[in-house]
Amino acid sequence: MTDSQRKPVTVPDLLALRQAGHKLSMLTCYDAGFARTLDNAGVDLILVGDSLGMVVQGGHSTLGVTVEDIAYHTRCVAAATRRALIVADLPFQADATPERALDAATALLRAGAGMVKLEGAGHKLAVIEYLVEREIPVCAHLGLTPQSVLRFGGFKVQGRGNAAAQKLCQEARQVAEAGAALLVLEAVTAPLAARISHDSPIPTIGIGAGKDCDGQVLVLHDMLGLDLGHRRPRFVRDFLAEGGSVAGAVAAYVEAVQAGSFPAEEHGYKA
Ligand code: KIV
């Protein structure tokens, strides 16, 4: 990697990279050892996701994760990250009000994050605005928002049918208007994610959302093929099997995302 490629990725860089046609690569990570490997492989964004409640803590959902958990893992990741932009999740109900979200987000930025991610639109739009006005960069997350698992009745594809698709398009516009600088789209049909990405003023990052997003994210444990005791989602590819080592797997992922060869059609959901 050249020196200019090793410059830390900043929030304004995300839009500039999109405009330059660079596909953004993002992976989740929860500790220093893996963070060093991801950073060295050129991953653009590291997500300290509340998925840690499932893949690290062994829970059945993300609902048990606390701000302290995310702050601890963010500190671990930040200790070994030089280039990637660290995005830290606001866990369940930490963003229930703007004031709570500001306290939680401040703790996560102090722990080393460069941006926080929060799920949903609706009353979260006021939270996004409140944080952005107070110098906290925000990544929005729409579609299959895992903190809504009880209302959804499971981890289900979102945006199917005309009304649901229209609602998702509207929410995507709203989070950008509220000031989000990045948008994660999870388990959204490929044509809908393509439409949202095409119309979005901010870069989109897909997970199970087809190839037309501006970047991709996977949970690290999934792309390393770890057996997590549940069926692997269809959008996951086992990069360890082809990469031969953890570093090789991460490098293969970054290359596949940048080349547009991941995700393939079989990793997406049809309308
Ligand atoms: O917590 C997480 O890992 C996430 C990704 C699935 C996008 O939010």
Side-chain angles (χ1 to χ4, degrees), residues 187-261:
V188 172
T189 64
L192 178 59
R195 182 168 136 205
I196 291 173
S197 299
H198 177 266
D199 294 345
S200 176
I202 57 174
T204 61
I205 304 279
I207 172 165
K211 65 171 178 43
D212 292 316
C213 295
D214 301 305
Q216 298 293 327
V217 58
L218 283 179
V219 171
L220 182 63
H221 293 55
D222 284 340
M223 62 83 78
L224 293 178
L226 289 188
D227 177 4
L228 297 168
H230 57 72
R231 196 165 50 85
R232 191 182 301 159
R234 66 177 294 147
F235 53 77
V236 172
R237 178 163 134 193
D238 180 351
F239 282 91
L240 188 61
E242 57 197 88
S245 66
V246 172
V250 176
Y253 170 75
V254 171
E255 200 182 305
V257 169
Q258 287 181 0
S261 59

Side-chain angles (χ1 to χ4, degrees), residues 28 30 47 49-51 89 117 119 141 146 184 186 207 217 219:
T28 70
Y30 319 97
L47 172 62
D50 59 0
S51 52
D89 259 343
K117 176 165 80 60
E119 297 183 8
H141 182 162
V184 167
E186 179 167 356
I207 172 165
V217 58
V219 171

